[in-house]
Amino acid sequence: VSVTVNPANTPPPPAPTACSNQGIVAVGATASASLPSTPPTLAIDGRTDTMWNSGAGAPQYITLDLGATYNLTKLCLFVTMTPDGQVNHLVQVGSTPDSVSTVATVNKVLYNGQWEEVALNATGRYVRIYTQQTPSWVAWAEIKAFGTQSNNNPPPPPTGCLTGSVVLTSSN
C-alpha cells in the first residue's frame, strides 16, 4: 500500500503552456507606484526573472498600453509575491487609461512563480490590473494579453503619401 501526502499549501501546477506563447506586445506600462529599480515596463519585457514592484501594499495598479484596440480573450499573469496567499485583483479594460471598467476578477489563493490565466471577453487598448488585496507588496513578473486586433483601429496612411491639407491658389 502506497500513501501520498499532499500538504495543504502545495502550489498548483504551472498553467498550461498557452501562457508561454507570445502575447500582444504592449508598447508601454504605467503604475500607481514603483520602486526605482523595478519600473512597470519590467512586467512587459517578456522575462519572468524581472518584475515591476510597487513597493507598497494594496491598493495599487499597473496599466498596459497595447498600442491599438484589441478584442481580448485572455490575460496571463506571472505571480511574484511572498508569502503566497489570498488575493483580489480587478482586471479592467478600456479605450483610454481613464475609461477602464472591470471585466474580470481574480479572487483566490495565488502562489509565487505561478502563471494565472484569466479568461476575457473585452475590447480595448488599455488593460489595468487593480489589486485590492494581497499578502505582500503588489508586483508582477510578467503580464501578457491575448486576442486579435480590432477593426476599429484607423489604418495608417499609405507609405510614401503625404498627409495634411493642401491649399491651391490661382495666379490669374
Side-chain angles (χ1 to χ4, degrees), residues 150-161:
S150 171
N151 291 331
N152 294 335
N153 293 306
T159 305
C161 293

Side-chain angles (χ1 to χ4, degrees), residues 103-161:
V103 297
T105 60
V106 178
N107 190 359
K108 64 195 288 187
V109 174
L110 292 182
Y111 301 87
N112 189 52
Q114 167 192 350
W115 275 110
E116 176 66 16
E117 287 189 56
V118 182
L120 298 178
N121 182 11
T123 300
R125 174 176 172 162
Y126 294 88
V127 177
R128 176 173 293 156
I129 295 44
Y130 183 85
T131 301
Q132 296 181 306
Q133 175 189 349
T134 181
S136 68
W137 284 0
V138 180
W140 294 105
E142 195 63 23
I143 303 171
K144 295 181 182 182
F146 293 83
T148 56
Q149 194 164 349
S150 171
N151 291 331
N152 294 335
N153 293 306
T159 305
C161 293

Side-chain angles (χ1 to χ4, degrees), residues 68-113:
T69 301
Y70 284 85
N71 299 315
L72 300 166
T73 57
K74 178 174 60 176
L75 196 64
C76 285
L77 308 167
F78 194 79
V79 178
T80 180
M81 66 181 198
T82 302
D84 302 331
Q86 180 69 40
V87 300
N88 186 349
H89 303 293
L90 304 179
V91 178
Q92 302 173 324
V93 175
S95 58
T96 70
D98 297 325
S99 68
V100 295
S101 58
T102 301
V103 297
T105 60
V106 178
N107 190 359
K108 64 195 288 187
V109 174
L110 292 182
Y111 301 87
N112 189 52

